[in-house]
Amino acid sequence: MPTTRELISKINKIFEENKIEEFITLLSDDIVWEMHSSSTGHTTLSGKNEIKNMGAGDKLPKRMFFKFGTIIIDGEKASVECTTSGEMPDGSQYKGFSCDIYHFSDEKVVRIISYVVDGNMQSSN
C-alpha cells in the first residue's frame, strides 16, 4: 500500500509528463474537485468524466509545465504548492500559481481543493 507521499509523488510526475489519462486512473469514481480561481471564479467538477473533459475547448494551455514547491502531508491529506506555465491555444503565454489539497481514501483521490492565481492578470494600479 503506497503512502500519501508516494501517491503525491506519482501524481506530480504524471502532471510533469502530461499523462492526464493516467491521472484519471488515480481518482475515485465520485471524485469532487473544487477550484477557486482568480480569473474564472469557483468551479466544482464531480466525477471522473467531468474531470476528464475539463480540458476540452480553448480555456487551458495546450501543454502545461509544472514546478512543484512545498508539499505538506497529514495522514491521507496532502497540500502541494505549484507554479505552472504553458502556451494557450491562441499562442499567448500562461503563467499561474496554485495550491492543491488532495484527500485520499483507499489509494484513490476522493477530493481536491485548488486555489489558483492567474499570473497573467494585470494589476489595476
Side-chain angles (χ1 to χ4, degrees):
M1 176 183 234
T3 66
T4 301
R5 183 165 304 281
E6 290 167 338
L7 290 169
I8 283 297
S9 293
K10 183 175 184 175
I11 288 170
N12 288 350
K13 184 173 173 66
I14 287 169
F15 278 119
E16 287 173 338
E17 296 174 354
N18 279 269
K19 294 182 177 179
I20 300 306
E21 290 297 322
E22 192 173 335
F23 174 65
I24 299 298
T25 67
L26 298 176
L27 306 178
S28 68
D29 290 336
D30 58 350
I31 175 81
V32 174
W33 192 345
E34 293 180 49
M35 291 179 239
H36 306 276
S37 169
S38 64
S39 61
T40 60
H42 175 80
T43 302
T44 300
L45 300 173
S46 299
K48 284 184 178 183
N49 284 336
E50 281 192 20
I51 293 170
K52 187 175 182 177
N53 295 321
M54 78 178 184
D58 59 355
K59 295 180 181 180
L60 295 177
K62 293 187 272 185
R63 169 111 165 67
M64 297 199 42
F65 298 91
F66 299 85
K67 183 177 179 187
F68 297 100
T70 303
I71 297 172
I72 299 171
I73 308 292
D74 182 17
E76 290 190 297
K77 296 179 186 128
S79 174
V80 179
E81 174 189 37
C82 182
T83 58
T84 56
S85 61
E87 184 178 328
M88 298 299 288
D90 67 2
S92 65
Q93 295 299 305
Y94 171 82
K95 183 165 185 159
F97 309 91
S98 66
C99 180
D100 298 316
I101 303 165
Y102 293 87
H103 297 248
F104 294 93
S105 180
D106 298 324
E107 300 179 35
K108 295 286 187 179
V109 181
V110 295
R111 184 174 182 206
I112 306 169
I113 304 169
S114 296
Y115 299 95
V116 181
V117 176
D118 182 348
N120 295 344
M121 293 183 71
Q122 298 296 318
S123 172
S124 59
N125 295 353

